[in-house]
Structures are given as C-alpha cells and as structure tokens.
Amino acid sequence: MRLVLVGPPGAGKGTQAQVVAAHLGVPHISTGDIFRANVAGGTDLGQQAQQFMDAGELVPDSVTNAMVADRLTHADAAGGFLLDGYPRNPGQAEVLQELLARTDLELDAVVELVADHETVVQRLLERAAKEGRADDTEEVIRRRLDVYDEQTAPLVDFYRQRGLLRTVDGVGAVDEVSARIIAALPSANA
Ligand code: AP5
C-alpha cells in the first residue's frame, strides 16, 4: 500500500501515521521527523532546513524532493510506504508522481485528516507546554496554518480529481480516528 497522509499542523498525521503504518506493515516516512533528526544531528541538511522550519515556512522543494527521492529508494519502502507531511504543495505532488512512475507505480490512496483550527491550535499549544518543539510557538503555529491553507490545501483537489482522496474526521479519541482511517483505506473496502 502506498499512502499519503495530508492535513493541517496538529491534525494528528504523525500520531495516526505510526498506528496505520504498523497496521499495514509499511514504513512511516515523515519529512518533518527526518528534518528534525537532521537539525538535532547538525547535518548539512539540518542546517539548510532549520531556518524555514523555525519560521513555519516550507523547506525549499529542491531540498525536500531530493531527500524524499533518496528515502524511497531504501529497501523497506519497496513494498509500500506511508508518507506523512509530503507532498505539501502541487509541485511536490507532481514530483512524487514522476518518481513512482519511473518504476510503474502509483499511489493507492491519499487520506485527508480534517480538524478545525481551534482544535489543532489547542493540541499544539498543549504539546508546546509538554515538549517545547521549536515551531510550536503561537506565532509560528499561526504561520504554519496559513502555509497549509495557501500551499497544501490545493492538494486536496489535486488528489480528488485523480480519485485518490479519502477524507477522515480527525477529531475524537486517537483510537477512534485510527479506526476511521483504516476503514477508509481501499483494501478495507475491496
Ligand atoms: P511536520 O513535522 O510535518 O509538522 P506539521 O505538519 O506542522 O505537523 P505536526 O507534527 O505539528 O502535526 P501532526 O498533524 O503530525 O499531528 P501530531 O500527530 O504530531 O513539519 C514541520 C516542518 O518541517 C514544516 O513546517 C516545514 O518547515 C518542514 N517540512 C516538513 N515536511 C515538508 C515538506 N514536505 N516540504 C517542505 N517543508 C516540509 O499531533 C499533534 C499533537 O496533538 C500531539 O501532541 C498529539 O499527541 C496530539 N494529538 C494527536 N491526535 C490527537 C487526538 N485524536 N486527540 C487529542 N490529541 C491528539
């Protein structure tokens, strides 16, 4: 199964991706996690990404697409993957489509996790108090939400037009949301 999980910051992509990837036996590939690991490790990639992440802006496509192209060549992704946080704009979606087409592959589904702004801001402020993630300040959260609306939300139509979109309510208990996602996947309906 080749899946993409899309949704605003705080919708629960990372939380749900872990559960769903384990259920499907595919790797959970989070571009945000890869960037954060590189920032923590002080790598060149981390240095290129950090200023954009700290401001709530997207890391440039040239950097992000190359990183994902490399990650998808790892052996564990050969049988499928769950991409969390990528693609994040129509240009990245085109690149992903081209990358998969090189080996005659395509996505099976794109799950859109929906949650209202008030819920996601509350979740992220709670996480800020507990974990202190650098981009969980109120100002940067607001910018991340604007970036989602401006740059990532158009992907919903892009994938709807291709018949891949499954929209899932992301508000509720974590296990309830996981069950909704799994029920929405193509194999569960086959
Ligand atoms: P990324 O790490 O992808 O951050 P994000 O999209 O802002 O997402 P979050 O991790 O904040 O939220 P989430 O939806 O994963 O929710 P989570 O499960 O964590 O990206 C960070 C940055 O990296 C970007 O701003 C950008 O700079 C860069 N980047 C990444 N990908 C890129 C790309 N493709 N192109 C360019 N730049 C890119 O949950 C959030 C909180 O809510 C947690 O505390 C969780 O415990 C809680 N929670 C989750 N579900 C529930 C629930 N059902 N009920 C109650 N609480 C819940």
Side-chain angles (χ1 to χ4, degrees):
M1 181 89 67
R2 291 174 186 80
L3 287 182
V4 163
L5 197 47
V6 68
K13 300 182 298 297
T15 303
Q16 296 300 334
Q18 283 185 29
V19 177
V20 176
H23 173 82
L24 295 172
V26 297
H28 164 204
I29 300 176
S30 158
T31 42
D33 285 351
I34 299 172
F35 283 136
R36 277 185 289 280
N38 277 276
V39 169
T43 68
D44 285 349
L45 177 62
Q47 283 171 17
Q48 290 177 69
Q50 184 165 18
Q51 57 170 312
F52 298 99
M53 299 176 78
D54 287 351
E57 303 293 340
L58 297 188
V59 177
D61 284 355
S62 54
V63 175
T64 307
N65 288 330
M67 179 178 87
V68 172
D70 174 69
R71 179 64 185 85
L72 292 182
T73 64
H74 294 198
D76 66 342
F81 51 75
L82 197 171
L83 278 169
D84 155 15
Y86 180 94
R88 232 171 167 105
N89 60 33
Q92 292 183 6
E94 299 279 4
V95 167
L96 177 60
Q97 198 166 284
E98 285 161 21
L99 279 174
L100 294 175
R102 279 182 208 166
T103 45
D104 285 331
L105 296 172
E106 49 189 34
L107 291 174
D108 294 296
V110 174
V111 174
E112 177 198 16
L113 208 47
V114 178
D116 57 275
H117 275 212
E118 197 184 326
T119 299
V120 300
V121 169
Q122 191 57 38
R123 286 180 183 174
L124 295 178
L125 290 176
E126 278 171 27
R127 182 172 67 188
K130 281 189 245 158
E131 298 175 21
R133 199 171 110 172
D135 59 351
D136 276 346
T137 64
E138 201 158 349
E139 185 190 353
V140 179
I141 290 169
R142 210 174 303 122
R143 181 62 195 145
R144 284 157 61 202
L145 287 166
D146 285 346
V147 167
Y148 180 81
D149 289 341
E150 292 160 12
Q151 301 186 47
T152 309
L155 283 183
V156 169
D157 276 339
F158 178 94
Y159 286 122
R160 186 182 289 117
Q161 284 161 14
R162 285 159 181 76
L164 291 171
L165 191 72
R166 315 278 165 135
T167 298
V168 173
D169 180 3
V171 181
V174 169
D175 54 354
E176 285 171 7
V177 178
S178 308
R180 286 178 205 147
I181 295 173
I182 289 165
L185 297 179
S187 60
N189 299 336

